[in-house]
Each structure stands twice: as structure tokens, then as C-alpha cells.
Amino acid sequence: MGAQLRVYKRRIKSVKATKKITKAMEMIAASRIVKAQRQVAASTPYADELTAAVTAVAGGADVKHPLTTEAEAPKRAAVLLVTSDRGLAGGYSSNAIKAAEALTGQLSDEGKSVVTYVVGRKGVAYYGFREKAVEESWTGFTDSPSYADAKAVAAPLIEAIERDTAEGGVDELHIVFTEFVSMMTQTPVQRRMLPLTLEPSDAEAGAKAADQGVQPLYDFEPSAEEVLDALLPRYVESRIYNALLQAAASEHAARRRAMKSATDNAEELIKSLTRLANAARQADITQEISEIVGGASALADASSGSDR
């Protein structure tokens, strides 16, 4: 029984060490969520206003721009997947990958060939293990992205959509990332960034303005096409930056939740092992007492026999 007690004590010590690590990771993730939320809140108005400006230029000018005009028969689509560089975040990366795979299947069913771009080591490892082609990948900044990182990601995507499909370009640009809804809810979403499409709210607002007879008038200098050339790269960069920030906040929230669950499980395991160790120790004590009592009884019997 003494050997069994030592085994329980070693396991309790090991679980306590693991609990310290998971608790520390939980606290680190919790502290980083606040910063990530602030960055999301700061970047979203800029991205929304820039989208509105691009929409206004595209809708207020009769110009066919390759970044706002849908191809008659789109053949190639680019999908940008945002995952994490590190694990221990529950199903965060796997859920985003599933959403990207579903989108890829949908685009393939529409007769489009899909070019995949990946952010994060988890996504790179997934496609690499399955020997699936990845056009380009980026790693090392998923938990704290900067605008420079967004520009680096956006550059080849903008270049691809500006090229003709016959030269390796794409007709559409989609992004898959995890949207931060709350501390408990993070949802994988997929959105088409280019060609630019009006959101339902924008369409409703436009219809309402038309009913009221109010039509906005714009003058473009030097031309609407050149304004679009200048605005759309900024639009793609801002949207990717906002998506990276949303994904970072979601990653921290998912890791905090996963580490809290691991810490709670460690506490339950420690309690269970402590009960087993106490039972083993009590059994050892009972055995020792039985041996002492048995030895004393044997000595007493031997002594009484010699007296006779």
C-alpha cells in the first residue's frame, strides 16, 4: 500500500504543476483580450467608413472597375483563411478551417477553381499535412497583428485580383476568420471582399433614399477610376486588418475558456487523487495498527505460556 500512496502523491504533484501552467495561461489570455477588444473597436469605424466611401464611389459613378465589377463567368476565387499560430485554444482553429473547407467546396461546386492563402501555423500545418496547395502563407503575428502585417497579407491578394485569370489572377476574393461576438461566443464567418457588394443595410438605405427622391451627387477628381484605384487597396487592407484583430480577440477568448476548463478539470482530478491517497494512507495506518496489535497479542501469549 505504501507504493500506491507514493504513486498518488506523484500524480497529485504533477497535476498541481499542470494546473499552475493552465491558470497562468488563462490569466495571460484574459489580460490580452481587453487590449484586443480595444483594437477591434478602434479599427471597425475606419473600416466601415472606408467601405462606405468605396461603395459611394462605385455606386455614384458609371465606371466598370475590375475591383467592383463582377466577371460574367468567374473562373478563379481566392480564399484567405485566418487561423492561429499556437494551440491550446479549444476548437478555435479547427472551426475556422472547417468553414474555409465548406466555402471551398461551395465555390468548387459553382465551377470555380480555388486559390488558398493561409494566415497562422495551424492552418499551414493542416494544409501541409494533407498535401493541399497553398498559394502563400504568413505566420508569427496572429495573437497581436499590426497594420503592417495586414498590408503584407493584402499585397499579393490585390495583385492577384488585378491580374487576368489567364495570367494566374482571380475573379473573387473571400476571407474566412473568427468573429468576436462576446467573451463566450466566437463565430467562424466567411465574407466576400471583392468584387465589392452592397450589404443589405446599404441596399435598404439606397432604396429608401430613392423613394424619397434624394440622390447623392459626386464629382470625382481626377476620375472615378483613379479614385477607386487609390481607395480599394486601402479597403482591402483595412478589412483584412479588422479581420485579423477580430481573430486575435477570438483566439485569446477561446484560449482563456480552454485554459479555465483545464484548470477546473485539474482541480477535480486533484480532489479525486487526494481522496484516493487518503484512503491508501488510512489503509496503511490500519494495517500497521493491526500488525502492532497482532504482535502485542503474540508477545502476550508467549509470555503467559512461559509463566506456566
Side-chain angles (χ1 to χ4, degrees), residues 10-26 88 258-267 269-270 273:
R10 280 199 299 268
R11 291 189 62 188
I12 290 172
K13 184 178 180 182
S14 175
V15 175
K16 283 184 176 179
T18 303
K19 178 187 169 184
K20 287 181 181 179
I21 295 172
T22 57
K23 185 65 176 178
M25 293 184 69
E26 176 191 347
L88 301 176
M259 291 301 98
K260 185 180 187 307
S261 178
T263 302
D264 293 343
N265 290 338
E267 289 179 353
L269 185 55
I270 289 170
L273 291 172

Side-chain angles (χ1 to χ4, degrees), residues 98-111:
K98 287 178 184 176
E101 290 286 80
L103 175 61
T104 299
Q106 177 185 336
L107 294 173
S108 298
D109 292 342
E110 294 172 0

Side-chain angles (χ1 to χ4, degrees), residues 144-165:
S144 182
S146 65
Y147 197 83
D149 298 321
K151 288 186 70 173
V153 174
L157 296 171
I158 295 171
E159 183 182 349
I161 204 164
E162 287 178 337
R163 286 201 309 267
D164 189 77
T165 52

